[in-house]
Amino acid sequence: DGGITQSPKYLFRKEGQNVTLSCEQNLNHDAMYWYRQDPGQGLRLIYYSQIVNDFQKGDIAEGYSVSREKKESFPLTVTSAQKNPTAFYLCASSLRDVNSPLHFGNGTRLTVT
Amino acid sequence: KNQVEQSPQSLIILEGKNCTLQCNYTVSPFSNLRWYKQDTGRGPVSLTIMTFSENTKSNGRYTATLDADTKQSSLHITASQLSDSASYICVVSGGGADGLTFGKGTHLIIQP
């Protein structure tokens, strides 16, 4: 079955540590995205990539970094510079057609204490 | 500033009843409007996408409407089932990979 896999589902880290969230897709989609979801707020775009070896900052990129070395993979690193990292992180992919839907993974819930 | 407002914030209905969720937007330019369903602890799943020229689109028991003149959309759920309990998110695209504006969602609970 085609889809997006995010791992792990739950992640716990101490403050000051960097952590990397995995996102893999086998839908052959060119575009991939990272969103952050907080209670009572709409999804906010962190980073996106429309092609291998290229990515762009979204609305809230500070404290995050990404790479896109393979079409299938778009890992997100939450660095110690992110002031409030505890959140639900969603990865998505789509065709590059503006009218194509986003296909989301089932998220990683990150808790930093 | 682009905004998407959804109402109500939450809704409880009995199984088998119909309901309608609302979405008002101030996004310009406009490319399309999407509705997603998000079960608790999971990623959103696409229900419909409507472009400027479409004013109704159905997906099973879900029917979305779009009035591009008044910048309003609704999602109507017919004969609700327990599995319809979820958050429903309205998303408006202004074009471009970074052009999506997400609403905060309507939390729907279906009671037996």
Side-chain angles (χ1 to χ4, degrees):
Chain A
D1 282 339
I4 297 187
T5 301
Q6 290 187 243
S7 61
K9 188 165 179 64
Y10 299 97
L11 194 51
F12 298 88
R13 280 295 183 269
K14 295 289 188 184
E15 200 173 300
Q17 293 179 334
N18 292 354
V19 60
T20 297
L21 282 59
S22 170
C23 178
E24 303 277 335
Q25 56 100 358
N26 60 7
L27 298 167
N28 200 33
H29 286 166
D30 284 315
M32 296 188 74
Y33 313 80
W34 275 105
Y35 289 93
R36 171 178 171 143
Q37 188 172 38
D38 295 286
Q41 294 194 39
L43 272 68
R44 292 181 290 169
L45 182 64
I46 304 172
Y47 268 98
Y48 65 98
S49 167
Q50 294 190 282
I51 197 167
V52 174
N53 292 322
D54 186 52
F55 49 82
Q56 306 296 327
K57 292 181 179 180
D59 300 319
I60 56 165
E62 185 175 348
Y64 300 98
S65 65
V66 295
S67 62
R68 187 85 187 276
E69 297 176 1
K70 298 186 301 181
K71 186 175 184 177
E72 302 79 17
S73 179
F74 192 41
L76 174 74
T77 296
V78 184
T79 75
S80 56
Q82 167 51 232
K83 298 303 179 191
N84 187 18
T86 294
F88 188 50
Y89 290 89
L90 286 161
C91 179
S93 72
S94 73
L95 298 172
R96 291 184 63 182
D97 179 349
V98 68
N99 291 323
S100 289
L102 294 176
H103 295 257
F104 285 90
N106 280 323
T108 291
R109 187 166 298 281
L110 173 65
T111 302
V112 177
T113 58
Chain B
K1 180 183 175 185
N2 290 335
Q3 287 190 310
V4 174
E5 300 288 341
Q6 292 188 244
S7 62
Q9 195 170 28
S10 61
L11 181 62
I12 302 173
I13 64 171
L14 293 175
E15 186 180 8
K17 298 296 187 183
N18 303 336
C19 67
T20 300
L21 314 181
Q22 301 290 344
C23 174
N24 296 337
Y25 62 93
T26 54
V27 175
S28 183
F30 175 87
S31 182
N32 59 66
L33 185 144
R34 309 153 180 231
W35 284 94
Y36 286 84
K37 177 187 179 188
Q38 185 177 22
D39 293 322
T40 301
R42 299 179 68 88
V45 173
S46 178
L47 294 176
T48 65
I49 294 180
M50 289 184 292
T51 60
F52 185 88
S53 60
E54 299 173 294
N55 52 26
T56 302
K57 204 159 196 178
S58 291
N59 179 355
R61 293 179 296 102
Y62 300 101
T63 299
T65 66
L66 172 64
D67 185 334
D69 291 331
T70 62
K71 299 188 177 182
Q72 296 180 323
S73 176
S74 65
L75 181 69
H76 186 74
I77 304 174
T78 304
S80 60
Q81 300 176 359
L82 296 178
S83 60
D84 293 331
S85 293
S87 287
Y88 292 83
I89 302 171
C90 177
V91 186
V92 180
S93 172
D98 60 343
L100 297 181
T101 303
F102 288 78
K104 296 179 181 180
T106 291
H107 186 50
L108 176 64
I109 297 173
I110 311 298
Q111 288 187 337

